[in-house]
Amino acid sequence: MPICFATPHRHAGPQSGASIIRRSSRFAVARPPARSMQEKYNASEVERAAQAHWNASRSFAAVPERGKPKYYCLSMFPYPSGKLHMGHVRNYTIGDVLSRWHMMRGFNVLQPMGWDAFGLPAENAAMQNGVPPAKWTDDNIAYMKQQLQSLGFAIDWTRELATCKPDYYRWNQWLFLRMLEKGIAYKKTQVVNWDPVDQTVLANEQVIEGRGWRTGAVIEKREIPGYYLRITRYAEELLADLDKLPGWPERVRTMQANWIGKSVGVRFAFPYELDGRQDKLWVFTTRADTIMGVSFCAVAAEHPLATRAARDNPALAAFIDECRHGSMMEADMATMEKKGMPTGIFVAHPLTGEKIQTWVGNYVLMSYGDGAVMAVPAHDERDFEFAKHYGLPIRQVVAVDGQTFSTDAWQDWYADKETGICVNSGKYDGLGYEAAVGAIATDLKARNLGDKQVQWRLRDWGVSRQRYWGCPIPIIHCGACGSVPVPDDQLPVVLPIDCVPDGSGNPLARNEAFLACACPQCGQPARRETDTMDTFVDSSWYYARYASRFGSDAMVDDETAYWMPVDQYIGGIEHAILHLLYSRFWSKVMRDLGLVHYDEPFSHLLTQGMVLNHVFSRRGEKGGIDYFAPDEIDLAHDAGGRITGAIAKADGRPVDYDGIGTMSKSKRNGVDPQSLIEHYGADTARFFIMFASPPEQTLEWSDAGVDGAYRFLRRVWAFGHVFAGDIKPKIGARQLAAAKLDGSLGELRREIHLLLKQANYDLTKHQFNTVASAAMKMLNALEKAPRDSAVAAEVVEEGVSILLRVLSPITPHIAHALWRELCFGDDIRAAPWPEPIEAALAQDEVELVLQVNGKLRGSLRVPADAPKEAIEAAALASDVAKKYMEGRPAKKVVIVPGRLVNIVC
RNA sequence: GCCGGGAUGGCGGAAUCGGUAGACGCAGCGGACUCAAAAUCCGCCGCCCGUGAGGGUGUGGGGGUUCGAGUCCCCCUCCCGGCACCA
């Protein structure tokens, strides 16, 4: 520790601006530090010492404190996949910069960390290595925690949690039971990917081109019972409350609104008679104005009408069976070839009574609306293609002025509802979209065959997973009583931690110790539910748990009311919809149960861009995909640098290059920051990732430039050394405040304060890359500064103190060390955040750009307060203007104060 | 396919409200120091024409608005994220 001659003291508050910690001049004159500081930057030594200091002073344990504004800064917790990757470093450095910046600005900061510890990768690892998921997960957490600690994040580790621990997930179970009571949780059938060989349910990720990733077997859709959460009950509020989130990026709010997808349309029925019974085929449409153009109806393969028709139609049964092998992913549904087959069943048009044939279509989703649609080929592109393919009638019922309809090819205006007018529609002819929908809905209602209805794209949240490594669903199955909720006093239902999944079904289903239990109602022997919860449940409320004291008698306690809502949430843009929507929903449920007081959990959201890297793969023999890490690959490039081929180093055989994609464990393209930290230190890693690009932008990984970041920190250190030895001793009586600075000194001070102003602005905009570059520019300026006078030394001292503080959120270790070495104070975190001083920014003259006809032709120096008339006169009188105006009179002179003059002639 | 976003030198990026395009850094090139190398320091560095002064051109492509467009509007291409069981 450096020894300073006088005790540094904090003085004044944030208003004191760029002023720095001072000592009486009696001591400050020409006294070097007692022990000369290390000349060379030694990152590991600096970082060890800084971290030891923070640990010893328990710097980051957050305690509620009245009289200080609170700042709850939360980064999305990681899945403990094994090692950190650069995406994590980026995410957590952003959070740490914001946390430390706020600490220095007087906020009471909470920055917690934990582990999203349930999930599929642990089961996959178990299959590969035979290690139980619990052990694998715990080991990964231990390693990654140490990595996070080595990066020096200001985290309150006392609040660490892991979602795979019973004291956490018991509250998933508890809240699930409350939801059951309120009818928010309910049971219905769900469609899953079934691998007939392994006899197991697969995640979408495990299905590759319709086949199981391990077995290569063709996957079937299978309907099984599962629990759902009625998120649609909150659809209206989830949509409306997006307006209460001005701190969220517009793009995220737009994506959520589109996902929730409120549409006002008409739900109506086509009556029909079958097997001697009157029935109705219900459909929903937002284009009821085109109802007179219906040429057929299409139902999903799982629709009861399809099932009935297939009974005496083997060809149709075969087609429906074929549909069962399709994907359950929307992206595949939308891009696959649209196929269909007539059912032979006819329904009646609700308004005209015309016979309408029904088809089974592989593109109709049973889970959306009623699983059936009316088809109007003339005005829906998908129906148009379908009708062309199967030779079905196409009847135009909407016209747009000046456009000619033809069934030859689809044109975008066919679907236009802004300018279209009904034609060939009987009494509705001439009506526009809204009028037609209104009139048709009225007529349908009069016949008791339909009405206007609000429809949501949002579907209820299916939470049952047929998997081991997750939170058990607290239900007991009794032969006599049926599905019985586990009583609260028997919670948690603890997941056994010694199972090793082998890929063939859920090991819980074979675990007698787990399964066997007594029915809570009748006491007879019963079986536990073996499904576990979707891991999105775990991550839907962890932020509230961090904010409470982790008691075992409540999900959250009153400390939550102090910290919540989260002031700043930071995480990858890939979570823009699902995780964030589920968390918002879960919060509202907790609120309605009286557990919390807020409507929305996250006031401000920063969506970090993905860190991308090259992806290499090879198809396995059974149809699965093996991924290769980029450092296992040799690349071939064409002349333009484009990748043309890739070879695995291990076996010399080619692999597929899949372009660039998100760093992830499963694609094996993550870059471990460990070697970076070991070679350069945490500060370099942090500085580099912040400097590389603004946080919201996707970042293609490259370590080119790390050397530059390291070089900069070495220069900072070296300058600190020069400052301590050669510059600081020159300071005598403090005279900066009163001094009239001459040209270059004034310019230097102005530059430092201008850069500070820019850095402060950029911090509010979360543009950390330009904060880093401002720090670099400050150093460039300071290195060139005059050092020959006491005042100059004082200007430099002020500049160094600003530089270190601006740098401290990004590179806290080196800032901490230099702050002490240079005797500014004991702990830089206690120093006030610097603010630019207006007097230092002022200037007498400004330089304006001089344009003639919009082209840059020269410049013009004018007094800073010159009136427009004077500027115009000076501009017109300039040699540059005379030369380029070529004798033409000025038609117009545009003056942008402080910026430019443009003479138009 | 649908929803959301992006594209600026060899590379990462800057330009904050429509006002000097390329800040800052990387790589490269030239030089100083050195027996040499590393480190460090100084200089150059969008493209084209020109020995030079200088001129032209330039922000994925095409069109438009404006005294002035990387920025605003329309159309297009490519890339990234999401699409409900990866997290």
Side-chain angles (χ1 to χ4, degrees):
Chain A
M1 178 185 293
I3 298 157
C4 296
F5 279 84
T7 310
H9 61 278
R10 281 192 72 184
H11 75 123
Q15 296 80 5
S16 68
S19 57
I20 55 164
I21 284 74
R22 289 173 188 164
R23 277 149 296 139
S24 67
S25 53
R26 187 163 59 94
F27 288 115
V29 177
R31 280 278 193 87
R35 178 189 64 88
S36 67
M37 63 182 277
Q38 282 270 313
E39 190 173 346
K40 278 215 170 120
Y41 173 49
N42 182 332
S44 61
E45 197 176 292
V46 163
E47 289 171 12
R48 201 177 331 106
Q51 288 172 16
H53 174 90
W54 298 328
N55 288 338
S57 56
R58 298 176 48 80
S59 301
F60 309 122
V63 178
E65 199 178 324
R66 305 289 152 193
K68 238 181 170 186
K70 64 98 182 175
Y71 185 74
Y72 182 1
C73 184
L74 178 68
S75 293
M76 288 181 187
F77 63 172
Y79 179 80
S81 56
K83 300 167 182 171
L84 294 184
H85 58 65
M86 291 314 301
H88 293 124
V89 176
R90 193 183 196 193
N91 197 153
Y92 302 138
T93 303
I94 293 166
D96 203 48
V97 169
L98 287 169
S99 290
R100 289 177 179 271
W101 178 49
H102 277 81
M103 284 175 193
M104 290 177 72
R105 294 197 306 150
F107 288 82
N108 189 27
V109 173
L110 166 60
Q111 186 179 220
M113 184 56 70
W115 310 94
D116 189 12
F118 275 137
L120 208 48
E123 298 199 22
N124 296 337
M127 285 179 230
Q128 257 175 29
N129 316 320
V131 183
K135 164 105 175 81
W136 183 82
T137 303
D138 285 346
D139 289 351
N140 288 349
I141 288 174
Y143 182 75
M144 290 169 74
K145 180 175 180 180
Q146 161 265 312
Q147 284 192 301
L148 286 175
Q149 287 175 326
S150 76
L151 281 159
F153 296 132
I155 289 167
D156 179 357
W157 284 104
T158 67
R159 294 168 189 263
E160 180 183 8
L161 62 78
T163 58
C164 63
K165 305 298 178 193
D167 58 354
Y168 180 80
Y169 67 69
R170 72 174 292 178
W171 300 107
N172 289 358
Q173 298 172 343
W174 181 83
L175 202 81
F176 176 83
L177 295 173
R178 303 290 82 75
M179 290 189 184
L180 266 183
E181 289 162 5
K182 300 197 83 178
I184 296 170
Y186 66 99
K187 205 171 186 177
K188 74 169 183 187
T189 60
Q190 53 176 352
V191 181
V192 296
N193 301 306
W194 179 254
D195 184 323
V197 172
D198 264 349
Q199 295 282 299
T200 195
V201 175
L202 296 184
N204 285 334
E205 186 188 54
Q206 299 171 313
V207 180
I208 293 150
E209 286 173 22
R211 291 169 182 275
W213 66 335
R214 299 173 70 238
T215 63
V218 174
I219 297 307
E220 300 165 13
K221 285 187 218 170
R222 184 173 269 213
E223 292 191 45
I224 59 170
Y227 285 94
Y228 280 80
L229 304 184
R230 218 179 286 278
I231 190 172
T232 51
R233 188 184 280 182
Y234 287 84
E236 193 78 64
E237 195 190 344
L238 287 167
L239 182 65
D241 283 3
L242 289 172
D243 292 339
K244 292 186 191 167
L245 296 171
W248 281 38
E250 191 62 44
R251 58 171 165 161
V252 175
R253 289 188 287 161
T254 305
M255 280 190 262
Q256 292 222 346
N258 291 342
W259 182 265
I260 294 166
K262 182 178 186 173
S263 58
V264 180
V266 177
R267 181 176 181 259
F268 69 96
F270 293 82
Y272 64 97
E273 191 185 315
L274 189 64
D275 304 329
R277 276 187 24 238
Q278 299 292 325
D279 213 336
K280 288 171 183 168
L281 176 67
W282 286 95
V283 301
F284 174 83
T285 179
T286 56
R287 293 303 307 271
D289 58 316
T290 64
I291 195 169
M292 304 306 269
V294 174
S295 55
F296 64 99
C297 287
V299 301
E302 302 86 2
H303 195 280
L305 198 119
T307 313
R308 167 62 190 82
R311 216 164 64 194
D312 34 45
N313 184 344
L316 186 65
F319 177 68
I320 290 173
D321 194 56
E322 187 191 321
C323 291
R324 280 186 37 236
H325 290 299
S327 165
M328 48 186 263
M329 287 189 282
E330 193 196 283
D332 294 333
M333 300 289 284
T335 49
M336 72 186 173
E337 192 191 342
K338 314 286 180 291
K339 288 185 190 167
M341 188 174 273
T343 62
I345 296 170
F346 286 77
V347 296
H349 192 286
L351 297 177
T352 65
E354 181 192 358
K355 276 179 80 175
I356 303 283
Q357 53 178 329
T358 62
W359 284 60
V360 175
N362 65 349
Y363 62 95
V364 183
L365 293 168
M366 193 60 213
S367 51
Y368 187 70
D370 292 282
V373 295
M374 72 167 192
V376 183
H379 304 290
D380 179 283
E381 188 169 6
R382 204 168 47 176
D383 295 345
F384 184 87
E385 276 164 28
F386 193 90
K388 292 278 280 188
H389 187 251
Y390 290 102
L392 295 162
I394 299 173
R395 212 176 326 154
Q396 182 195 7
V397 291
V398 173
V400 167
D401 248 6
Q403 301 281 7
T404 311
F405 188 90
S406 153
T407 58
D408 293 343
W410 174 262
Q411 297 179 53
D412 285 339
W413 72 263
Y414 295 174
D416 181 22
K417 57 186 186 188
E418 308 297 324
T419 52
I421 298 293
C422 289
V423 294
N424 304 327
S425 298
K427 63 186 275 203
Y428 309 112
D429 281 356
L431 296 179
Y433 170 75
E434 265 178 53
V437 169
I440 287 164
T442 305
D443 289 350
L444 287 167
K445 191 173 183 182
R447 292 163 191 240
N448 225 3
L449 284 175
D451 204 349
K452 278 198 180 175
Q453 198 191 44
V454 173
Q455 180 85 0
W456 304 92
R457 208 189 77 94
L458 181 67
R459 306 199 296 261
D460 278 342
W461 174 13
V463 293
S464 291
R465 297 289 180 274
Q466 295 69 43
R467 265 189 263 299
Y468 158 66
W469 192 236
C471 166
I473 292 178
I475 294 288
I476 289 169
H477 299 288
C478 168
C481 309
S483 298
V484 182
V486 173
D488 286 357
D489 60 9
Q490 290 176 27
L491 294 181
V493 176
V494 176
L495 186 74
I497 57 166
D498 50 2
C499 297
V500 182
D502 60 5
S504 62
N506 185 344
L508 289 179
R510 303 187 292 265
N511 189 314
E512 202 51 38
F514 174 78
L515 285 170
C517 61
C519 171
Q521 267 171 35
C522 68
Q524 292 300 303
R527 315 289 276 174
R528 284 195 192 282
E529 169 69 52
T530 58
D531 280 359
T532 53
M533 293 184 197
D534 180 4
T535 55
F536 274 124
V537 169
D538 308 323
S539 55
S540 286
W541 68 281
Y542 72 109
Y543 48 87
R545 185 72 175 170
Y546 281 147
S548 83
R549 285 182 300 268
F550 289 22
S552 57
D553 55 346
M555 189 169 184
V556 293
D557 62 24
D558 54 4
E559 191 170 322
T560 315
Y562 173 81
W563 292 112
M564 287 296 293
V566 172
D567 295 282
Q568 181 68 61
Y569 197 29
I570 303 140
I573 183 66
E574 76 273 24
H575 293 294
I577 297 176
L578 291 180
H579 161 61
L580 290 168
L581 191 66
Y582 291 147
S583 295
R584 295 179 59 218
F585 160 67
W586 200 273
S587 287
K588 289 174 193 297
V589 172
M590 286 179 74
R591 176 203 61 195
D592 289 349
L593 287 164
L595 296 167
V596 297
H597 63 287
Y598 48 85
D599 293 325
E600 288 289 340
F602 315 121
S603 308
H604 296 264
L605 175 68
L606 191 160
T607 44
Q608 183 208 177
M610 306 276 73
V611 181
L612 310 177
N613 200 1
H614 300 282
V615 181
F616 301 96
S617 68
R618 185 188 283 158
R619 296 301 293 260
E621 276 137 40
K622 287 180 175 169
I625 291 185
D626 295 323
Y627 285 96
F628 291 79
D631 60 7
E632 297 169 349
I633 297 294
D634 284 323
L635 288 175
H637 300 270
D638 65 13
R642 211 177 255 278
I643 294 174
T644 53
I647 304 277
K649 286 178 186 167
D651 57 15
R653 293 195 297 121
V655 298
D656 296 329
Y657 175 57
D658 304 329
I660 52 174
T662 312
M663 281 190 186
S664 75
K665 171 108 182 151
S666 60
K667 290 182 188 152
R668 301 200 54 227
N669 64 341
V671 172
D672 182 1
Q674 199 58 36
S675 63
L676 209 61
I677 298 168
E678 280 163 16
H679 192 233
Y680 298 96
D683 279 341
T684 296
R686 294 169 59 120
F687 187 89
F688 173 64
I689 196 78
M690 287 299 94
F691 182 60
S693 83
E696 304 218 292
Q697 199 161 303
T698 45
L699 175 63
E700 199 174 320
W701 174 252
S702 159
D703 59 8
V706 174
D707 284 326
Y710 186 51
R711 197 173 299 149
F712 168 67
L713 294 183
R714 283 202 313 258
R715 274 171 57 210
V716 171
W717 188 271
F719 189 73
H721 188 259
V722 169
F723 175 73
D726 300 345
I727 303 175
K728 194 158 185 169
K730 295 204 176 92
I731 298 173
R734 296 280 166 183
Q735 48 186 318
L736 181 56
K740 173 86 183 102
L741 299 174
D742 74 38
S744 69
L745 261 190
E747 274 307 302
L748 167 67
R749 190 164 188 238
R750 180 164 181 272
E751 189 177 352
I752 297 285
H753 283 264
L754 216 48
L755 286 166
L756 173 60
K757 189 175 177 180
Q758 175 232 305
N760 282 351
Y761 179 82
D762 289 348
L763 280 165
T764 67
K765 293 279 176 195
H766 302 157
Q767 272 202 205
F768 309 115
N769 56 329
T770 50
V771 177
S773 81
M776 289 175 138
K777 289 178 190 174
M778 283 182 196
L779 181 64
N780 289 346
L782 289 170
E783 283 176 337
K784 292 186 187 104
R787 306 170 177 181
D788 47 2
S789 69
V791 181
E794 241 188 297
V795 170
V796 172
E797 180 188 48
E798 183 193 72
V800 171
S801 92
I802 291 172
L803 170 62
L804 291 179
R805 282 178 287 169
V806 167
L807 223 34
S808 65
I810 302 174
T811 57
H813 308 89
I814 191 174
H816 171 87
L818 286 175
W819 193 255
R820 289 159 70 94
E821 293 284 3
L822 307 182
C823 300
F824 285 117
D826 188 45
D827 194 334
I828 194 168
R829 294 173 315 122
W833 188 260
E835 296 294 338
I837 293 171
E838 282 307 321
L841 294 172
Q843 54 182 347
D844 303 334
E845 267 195 337
V846 292
E847 187 161 301
L848 301 181
V849 164
L850 182 53
Q851 294 183 340
V852 178
N853 286 330
K855 278 198 196 296
L856 173 66
R857 295 301 185 186
S859 65
L860 195 66
R861 285 197 75 84
V862 296
D865 55 358
K868 280 200 173 187
E869 298 73 39
I871 295 172
E872 182 171 334
L876 290 171
S878 69
D879 292 344
V880 174
K882 281 181 194 138
K883 178 177 172 196
Y884 288 95
M885 287 171 73
E886 294 166 349
R888 294 184 299 266
K891 285 188 211 146
K892 187 175 173 183
V893 179
V894 181
I895 295 171
V896 182
R899 286 267 185 196
L900 65 66
V901 182
N902 184 16
I903 300 169
V904 185
C905 61

